mmCIF file with all atom_site columns, all heavy atoms in Angstrom:
data_model
loop_
_atom_site.group_PDB
_atom_site.id
_atom_site.type_symbol
_atom_site.label_atom_id
_atom_site.label_alt_id
_atom_site.label_comp_id
_atom_site.label_asym_id
_atom_site.label_entity_id
_atom_site.label_seq_id
_atom_site.pdbx_PDB_ins_code
_atom_site.Cartn_x
_atom_site.Cartn_y
_atom_site.Cartn_z
_atom_site.occupancy
_atom_site.B_iso_or_equiv
_atom_site.pdbx_formal_charge
_atom_site.auth_seq_id
_atom_site.auth_comp_id
_atom_site.auth_asym_id
_atom_site.auth_atom_id
_atom_site.pdbx_PDB_model_num
ATOM 1  N N   . GLU A 1 52 ? -2.215 -5.093  44.483 1.00 85.00 ? 1189 GLU A N   1
ATOM 2  C CA  . GLU A 1 52 ? -0.829 -5.314  44.121 1.00 85.00 ? 1189 GLU A CA  1
ATOM 3  C C   . GLU A 1 52 ? 0.104  -4.258  44.758 1.00 85.00 ? 1189 GLU A C   1
ATOM 4  O O   . GLU A 1 52 ? -0.412 -3.208  45.139 1.00 85.00 ? 1189 GLU A O   1
ATOM 5  C CB  . GLU A 1 52 ? -0.694 -5.339  42.573 1.00 85.00 ? 1189 GLU A CB  1
ATOM 6  C CG  . GLU A 1 52 ? -1.122 -4.055  41.910 1.00 85.00 ? 1189 GLU A CG  1
ATOM 7  C CD  . GLU A 1 52 ? -1.116 -4.133  40.402 1.00 85.00 ? 1189 GLU A CD  1
ATOM 8  O OE1 . GLU A 1 52 ? -0.208 -4.807  39.809 1.00 85.00 ? 1189 GLU A OE1 1
ATOM 9  O OE2 . GLU A 1 52 ? -1.971 -3.532  39.825 1.00 85.00 ? 1189 GLU A OE2 1
ATOM 10 N N   . THR A 1 53 ? 1.350  -4.467  44.781 1.00 65.00 ? 1190 THR A N   1
ATOM 11 C CA  . THR A 1 53 ? 2.287  -3.484  45.232 1.00 65.00 ? 1190 THR A CA  1
ATOM 12 C C   . THR A 1 53 ? 2.529  -2.544  44.021 1.00 65.00 ? 1190 THR A C   1
ATOM 13 O O   . THR A 1 53 ? 2.048  -2.744  42.889 1.00 65.00 ? 1190 THR A O   1
ATOM 14 C CB  . THR A 1 53 ? 3.630  -4.148  45.626 1.00 65.00 ? 1190 THR A CB  1
ATOM 15 O OG1 . THR A 1 53 ? 4.214  -4.799  44.462 1.00 65.00 ? 1190 THR A OG1 1
ATOM 16 C CG2 . THR A 1 53 ? 3.457  -5.147  46.782 1.00 65.00 ? 1190 THR A CG2 1
ATOM 17 N N   . GLU A 1 54 ? 3.286  -1.477  44.303 1.00 61.00 ? 1191 GLU A N   1
ATOM 18 C CA  . GLU A 1 54 ? 3.554  -0.515  43.282 1.00 61.00 ? 1191 GLU A CA  1
ATOM 19 C C   . GLU A 1 54 ? 4.231  -1.126  42.053 1.00 61.00 ? 1191 GLU A C   1
ATOM 20 O O   . GLU A 1 54 ? 4.044  -0.658  40.899 1.00 61.00 ? 1191 GLU A O   1
ATOM 21 C CB  . GLU A 1 54 ? 4.364  0.621   43.765 1.00 61.00 ? 1191 GLU A CB  1
ATOM 22 C CG  . GLU A 1 54 ? 3.598  1.572   44.675 1.00 61.00 ? 1191 GLU A CG  1
ATOM 23 C CD  . GLU A 1 54 ? 4.420  2.777   45.154 1.00 61.00 ? 1191 GLU A CD  1
ATOM 24 O OE1 . GLU A 1 54 ? 5.464  3.059   44.547 1.00 61.00 ? 1191 GLU A OE1 1
ATOM 25 O OE2 . GLU A 1 54 ? 3.966  3.414   46.093 1.00 61.00 ? 1191 GLU A OE2 1
ATOM 26 N N   . ASP A 1 55 ? 4.987  -2.219  42.265 1.00 56.00 ? 1192 ASP A N   1
ATOM 27 C CA  . ASP A 1 55 ? 5.643  -2.862  41.129 1.00 56.00 ? 1192 ASP A CA  1
ATOM 28 C C   . ASP A 1 55 ? 4.825  -3.981  40.496 1.00 56.00 ? 1192 ASP A C   1
ATOM 29 O O   . ASP A 1 55 ? 5.313  -4.751  39.704 1.00 56.00 ? 1192 ASP A O   1
ATOM 30 C CB  . ASP A 1 55 ? 7.065  -3.370  41.531 1.00 56.00 ? 1192 ASP A CB  1
ATOM 31 C CG  . ASP A 1 55 ? 7.025  -4.455  42.579 1.00 56.00 ? 1192 ASP A CG  1
ATOM 32 O OD1 . ASP A 1 55 ? 5.975  -4.767  43.044 1.00 56.00 ? 1192 ASP A OD1 1
ATOM 33 O OD2 . ASP A 1 55 ? 8.093  -4.984  42.876 1.00 56.00 ? 1192 ASP A OD2 1
ATOM 34 N N   . GLY A 1 56 ? 3.544  -4.088  40.948 1.00 53.00 ? 1193 GLY A N   1
ATOM 35 C CA  . GLY A 1 56 ? 2.670  -4.993  40.341 1.00 53.00 ? 1193 GLY A CA  1
ATOM 36 C C   . GLY A 1 56 ? 2.693  -6.459  40.872 1.00 53.00 ? 1193 GLY A C   1
ATOM 37 O O   . GLY A 1 56 ? 2.161  -7.349  40.300 1.00 53.00 ? 1193 GLY A O   1
ATOM 38 N N   . ASP A 1 57 ? 3.296  -6.595  42.049 1.00 54.00 ? 1194 ASP A N   1
ATOM 39 C CA  . ASP A 1 57 ? 3.403  -7.927  42.689 1.00 54.00 ? 1194 ASP A CA  1
ATOM 40 C C   . ASP A 1 57 ? 2.366  -8.107  43.802 1.00 54.00 ? 1194 ASP A C   1
ATOM 41 O O   . ASP A 1 57 ? 2.566  -7.508  44.901 1.00 54.00 ? 1194 ASP A O   1
ATOM 42 C CB  . ASP A 1 57 ? 4.836  -8.077  43.169 1.00 54.00 ? 1194 ASP A CB  1
ATOM 43 C CG  . ASP A 1 57 ? 5.051  -9.394  43.821 1.00 54.00 ? 1194 ASP A CG  1
ATOM 44 O OD1 . ASP A 1 57 ? 4.264  -10.327 43.777 1.00 54.00 ? 1194 ASP A OD1 1
ATOM 45 O OD2 . ASP A 1 57 ? 6.146  -9.590  44.409 1.00 54.00 ? 1194 ASP A OD2 1
ATOM 46 N N   . ASP A 1 58 ? 1.402  -8.907  43.608 1.00 52.00 ? 1195 ASP A N   1
ATOM 47 C CA  . ASP A 1 58 ? 0.429  -9.171  44.676 1.00 52.00 ? 1195 ASP A CA  1
ATOM 48 C C   . ASP A 1 58 ? 0.977  -10.225 45.656 1.00 52.00 ? 1195 ASP A C   1
ATOM 49 O O   . ASP A 1 58 ? 0.512  -10.393 46.771 1.00 52.00 ? 1195 ASP A O   1
ATOM 50 C CB  . ASP A 1 58 ? -0.925 -9.564  44.224 1.00 52.00 ? 1195 ASP A CB  1
ATOM 51 C CG  . ASP A 1 58 ? -0.995 -10.945 43.588 1.00 52.00 ? 1195 ASP A CG  1
ATOM 52 O OD1 . ASP A 1 58 ? 0.032  -11.472 43.272 1.00 52.00 ? 1195 ASP A OD1 1
ATOM 53 O OD2 . ASP A 1 58 ? -2.185 -11.408 43.295 1.00 52.00 ? 1195 ASP A OD2 1
ATOM 54 N N   . GLY A 1 59 ? 1.957  -10.966 45.298 1.00 51.00 ? 1196 GLY A N   1
ATOM 55 C CA  . GLY A 1 59 ? 2.580  -11.998 46.109 1.00 51.00 ? 1196 GLY A CA  1
ATOM 56 C C   . GLY A 1 59 ? 3.455  -11.392 47.207 1.00 51.00 ? 1196 GLY A C   1
ATOM 57 O O   . GLY A 1 59 ? 3.859  -12.070 48.173 1.00 51.00 ? 1196 GLY A O   1
ATOM 58 N N   . SER A 1 60 ? 3.739  -10.091 47.145 1.00 50.00 ? 1197 SER A N   1
ATOM 59 C CA  . SER A 1 60 ? 4.540  -9.445  48.177 1.00 50.00 ? 1197 SER A CA  1
ATOM 60 C C   . SER A 1 60 ? 3.689  -8.640  49.201 1.00 50.00 ? 1197 SER A C   1
ATOM 61 O O   . SER A 1 60 ? 4.280  -8.067  50.098 1.00 50.00 ? 1197 SER A O   1
ATOM 62 C CB  . SER A 1 60 ? 5.551  -8.462  47.509 1.00 50.00 ? 1197 SER A CB  1
ATOM 63 O OG  . SER A 1 60 ? 6.471  -9.143  46.756 1.00 50.00 ? 1197 SER A OG  1
ATOM 64 N N   . VAL A 1 61 ? 2.414  -8.648  49.002 1.00 57.00 ? 1198 VAL A N   1
ATOM 65 C CA  . VAL A 1 61 ? 1.532  -7.899  49.992 1.00 57.00 ? 1198 VAL A CA  1
ATOM 66 C C   . VAL A 1 61 ? 1.402  -8.808  51.214 1.00 57.00 ? 1198 VAL A C   1
ATOM 67 O O   . VAL A 1 61 ? 0.915  -9.910  51.116 1.00 57.00 ? 1198 VAL A O   1
ATOM 68 C CB  . VAL A 1 61 ? 0.204  -7.679  49.278 1.00 57.00 ? 1198 VAL A CB  1
ATOM 69 C CG1 . VAL A 1 61 ? -0.747 -6.949  50.315 1.00 57.00 ? 1198 VAL A CG1 1
ATOM 70 C CG2 . VAL A 1 61 ? 0.324  -6.800  48.026 1.00 57.00 ? 1198 VAL A CG2 1
ATOM 71 N N   . SER A 1 62 ? 1.884  -8.251  52.326 1.00 59.00 ? 1199 SER A N   1
ATOM 72 C CA  . SER A 1 62 ? 1.830  -9.004  53.552 1.00 59.00 ? 1199 SER A CA  1
ATOM 73 C C   . SER A 1 62 ? 0.793  -8.341  54.471 1.00 59.00 ? 1199 SER A C   1
ATOM 74 O O   . SER A 1 62 ? 1.028  -7.149  54.861 1.00 59.00 ? 1199 SER A O   1
ATOM 75 C CB  . SER A 1 62 ? 3.259  -9.022  54.207 1.00 59.00 ? 1199 SER A CB  1
ATOM 76 O OG  . SER A 1 62 ? 3.175  -9.699  55.437 1.00 59.00 ? 1199 SER A OG  1
ATOM 77 N N   . VAL A 1 63 ? -0.266 -9.014  54.786 1.00 67.00 ? 1200 VAL A N   1
ATOM 78 C CA  . VAL A 1 63 ? -1.297 -8.405  55.642 1.00 67.00 ? 1200 VAL A CA  1
ATOM 79 C C   . VAL A 1 63 ? -1.557 -9.232  56.827 1.00 67.00 ? 1200 VAL A C   1
ATOM 80 O O   . VAL A 1 63 ? -2.348 -8.808  57.735 1.00 67.00 ? 1200 VAL A O   1
ATOM 81 C CB  . VAL A 1 63 ? -2.561 -8.211  54.801 1.00 67.00 ? 1200 VAL A CB  1
ATOM 82 C CG1 . VAL A 1 63 ? -2.369 -7.235  53.685 1.00 67.00 ? 1200 VAL A CG1 1
ATOM 83 C CG2 . VAL A 1 63 ? -3.114 -9.478  54.282 1.00 67.00 ? 1200 VAL A CG2 1
#
Side-chain angles (χ1 to χ4, degrees):
E1189 60 186 324
T1190 61
E1191 287 184 17
D1192 64 356
D1194 181 8
D1195 70 348
S1197 295
V1198 178
S1199 179
V1200 298

